[in-house]
Amino acid sequence: MKSIHSRCRRFALRGALTLALAALMPAWAMAQAYPSRPIRIVVPFPPGGSTDVLARRIGEKLAVAFGQPVIVDNRAGAGGTLGADHVAKSAPDGYTLLMGVTGTNAISGALYPKLPYDVAKDFAPVSLVVSAPLVLVRHPGFAAATVQEVVAAAKARPGSISYGSPGNGTSMHLTGEMFKLSAKASLLHIPYRGSAGALTDLMGGQIDTMFGDFLVVWPQVEAGKVMPIAVTSRQRHKMLPNVSTVAESGYPGFEALSWQGLFAPAGTPPAVVDQLNREVNKVLASADIQEYFGSRGFTLGGSSAADFGTFIRGEIDKWTRIVKASGAKPD
């Protein structure tokens, strides 16, 4: 009888091990075969913008590396959250990815009370791709040429010094709010529908300052139509070596980056995420990608998936604090 019981236990143990292995097999098999069909990178903005260009340049190289087409799918709307939500609800198999940005994957969670996805839980971070500081720029006729002078003017005339942004809730708007909170100074926010309108009015003298994307303001800085006051990274920018950072101008720790990164839906097998991460990092290290984006003011990313996840959690925490403290609302 004891022998029969022993055999039964052995059979039960083998059965349990078989079931466990069977449960692991689909994910393992998928990771081994990945990718076996086209990959889509969802860009949550219209064609032609920096996020779109970035996705297409990286997608071309990933297609060669993987031997599979990589298709860019523009799904614009609702400040980028429409495309992000589509990816969040896609199958977690590595075939639908998101080129996410500061707004879609950090700010939106605090800004939109009824956001249909969770910025912290619904994505598997793959890799930081690029980042760049914002540049605090001024109209040449605005006399305050340093951060200290801007703050002094704002404190002397509360609410009279203006800064423009591409709209309520954008990273440029919230960087201005972070600046106001850090400096304990009152500046007047003027929202526009896009960076072009804000920059046009800045050059025309209708507004005093703005925090602008490096890529957007750099040509006008070169042309002398706007003047740089400071950059929002912790270190000075290589293309503006003589321009101070906000942090070194009296506000240690101040940092606001415009970044873009690749995300998969939560639940994507770690082996697939790791494979994507390795190939993306190889692409970012290639000489032509370094030259193309580096010459446009970007810092190329390249990170482990775990490090990118840590970075994202820090960004979510930071922008949540700023949204709550400033009372910022979306358009």
Side-chain angles (χ1 to χ4, degrees):
M1 183 66 70
K2 185 177 181 180
S3 176
I4 292 173
H5 286 314
S6 297
R7 284 199 298 273
C8 288
R9 282 196 297 271
R10 285 198 297 272
F11 287 141
L13 180 59
R14 287 174 188 168
L17 288 172
T18 300
L19 288 172
L21 288 171
L24 291 172
M25 278 297 290
W28 175 86
M30 182 173 70
Q32 293 299 306
Y34 180 85
S36 59
R37 53 188 171 87
I39 297 169
R40 276 192 311 146
I41 299 178
V42 172
V43 171
F45 305 106
S50 62
T51 309
D52 180 69
V53 172
L54 181 64
R56 292 180 190 280
R57 292 296 294 261
I58 289 177
E60 289 170 2
K61 286 190 170 286
L62 287 178
V64 174
F66 284 138
Q68 292 288 344
V70 176
I71 301 162
V72 173
D73 181 4
N74 296 91
R75 290 179 177 258
T81 61
L82 189 67
D85 183 50
H86 173 76
V87 175
K89 292 177 171 57
S90 294
D93 53 13
Y95 290 97
T96 303
L97 309 174
L98 172 71
M99 189 63 76
V101 301
T102 317
T104 58
N105 289 80
I107 294 173
S108 59
L111 192 65
Y112 296 97
K114 295 182 179 180
L115 192 70
Y117 61 90
D118 188 312
V119 294
K121 297 178 181 178
D122 288 346
F123 298 96
V126 174
S127 180
L128 178 65
V129 177
V130 296
S131 64
L134 302 181
V135 186
L136 175 59
V137 289
R138 64 182 173 92
H139 178 262
F142 179 57
T146 67
V147 168
Q148 293 91 339
E149 290 173 357
V150 172
V151 172
K155 288 185 175 180
R157 294 176 285 149
S160 65
I161 307 302
S162 59
Y163 78 97
S165 82
N168 288 325
T170 60
S171 60
M172 300 80 179
H173 167 212
L174 291 173
T175 297
E177 294 301 313
M178 182 161 66
F179 180 71
K180 288 164 58 176
L181 290 167
S182 299
K184 297 179 175 60
S186 175
L187 286 84
L188 176 64
H189 174 229
I190 309 294
Y192 291 79
R193 292 197 176 277
S195 293
L199 189 57
T200 297
D201 274 8
L202 179 67
M203 291 187 291
Q206 282 77 42
I207 57 174
D208 301 313
T209 66
M210 69 178 285
F211 286 92
D213 259 330
F214 196 100
L215 191 65
V216 171
V217 302
W218 173 246
Q220 308 309 329
V221 169
E222 280 193 303
K225 294 181 178 179
V226 300
M227 310 300 292
I229 298 173
V231 295
T232 62
S233 48
R234 294 195 182 189
Q235 291 81 34
R236 294 191 182 194
H237 195 279
K238 63 182 180 181
M239 293 169 68
L240 290 170
N242 297 321
V243 176
S244 299
T245 68
V246 175
E248 69 181 295
S249 301
Y251 304 96
F254 190 102
E255 182 181 41
L257 299 176
S258 175
W259 53 260
Q260 302 177 54
L262 201 64
F263 296 83
T268 301
V272 172
V273 172
D274 289 343
Q275 189 175 349
L276 283 165
N277 175 268
R278 286 194 301 272
E279 295 302 333
V280 170
N281 284 342
K282 288 177 186 177
V283 169
L284 295 175
S286 61
D288 58 331
I289 293 293
Q290 288 274 335
E291 193 283 328
Y292 183 86
F293 290 104
S295 66
R296 286 159 175 77
F298 290 104
T299 298
L300 277 294
S303 62
S304 70
D307 286 346
F308 186 37
T310 299
F311 172 78
I312 292 299
R313 288 190 291 275
E315 286 287 285
I316 292 170
D317 289 346
K318 175 175 71 179
W319 292 116
T320 297
R321 290 196 302 272
I322 297 303
V323 169
K324 288 181 178 179
S326 68
K329 304 292 182 184
D331 288 327

